[in-house]
Amino acid sequence: MLRRFALTAAVSLAALAAVSGAAFADGPQPVAQVPTRQAPDRLTVTVTNSGVRTAEGTYQLQCGPDGATGTHRSPQEACDRLAALAADGKQPFAPVPKGLMCTMQYGGPATAHITGTWHGQPVDATFRRTNGCEISRWNNLVPVLPHAAP
């Protein structure tokens, strides 16, 4: 009985060794590819009628693996806000859904237009403060967009 067990164990080990060796018979296995560096997000933000003179104008914002740059007043804070929205699975440039009931309040004449590329996707979004939903959408993007005076 002990002899049968030893023979079975020896045959099993030989079969296992043959299978393990076969995995490398075709040569070295491919090495996992290192992910390519993602292109930085590049946005142009134009703000008008915000009621804050220092916030008016057109600004460049670049968020990338090497940090935040551009002519935006607070590039790092703006990029951090966009990163936080992305981490939460939010689409910061999506319009207010059609048919959504919004409070009828007016947040002032401020408008903003954002164009460029974010997460490899084109961006062409307009922001206004014409009702509660649009005000909320604007405020959600502060500091990418400035705090607007009512």
Side-chain angles (χ1 to χ4, degrees):
M1 173 106 136
L2 184 58
R3 187 170 182 213
R4 182 182 280 174
F5 177 73
L7 182 59
T8 302
V11 170
S12 296
L13 285 174
L16 185 58
V19 170
S20 298
F24 297 104
D26 294 333
Q29 300 299 312
V31 176
Q33 295 292 321
V34 175
T36 58
R37 205 167 174 183
Q38 183 181 0
D41 298 325
R42 296 177 195 269
L43 300 170
T44 300
V45 180
T46 302
V47 178
T48 58
N49 299 318
S50 70
V52 181
R53 185 180 315 172
T54 58
E56 302 287 312
T58 299
Y59 308 97
Q60 303 300 317
L61 177 63
Q62 180 173 310
C63 307
D66 293 331
T69 60
T71 58
H72 190 280
R73 291 180 52 187
S74 304
Q76 188 61 58
E77 289 84 2
C79 290
D80 289 347
R81 179 63 185 144
L82 290 171
L85 290 169
D88 288 342
K90 304 283 169 72
Q91 296 294 329
F93 306 109
V96 172
K98 293 201 183 296
L100 187 64
M101 295 186 70
C102 303
T103 59
M104 297 308 297
Q105 65 188 79
Y106 183 66
T111 61
H113 188 212
I114 301 176
T115 58
T117 305
W118 185 71
H119 285 206
Q121 300 298 313
V123 172
D124 188 354
T126 300
F127 293 80
R128 293 183 174 81
R129 300 177 58 81
T130 55
N131 62 43
C133 294
E134 292 291 351
I135 292 169
S136 177
R137 184 172 170 249
W138 180 295
N139 290 345
N140 192 42
L141 264 183
V142 170
V144 177
L145 298 178
H147 288 283

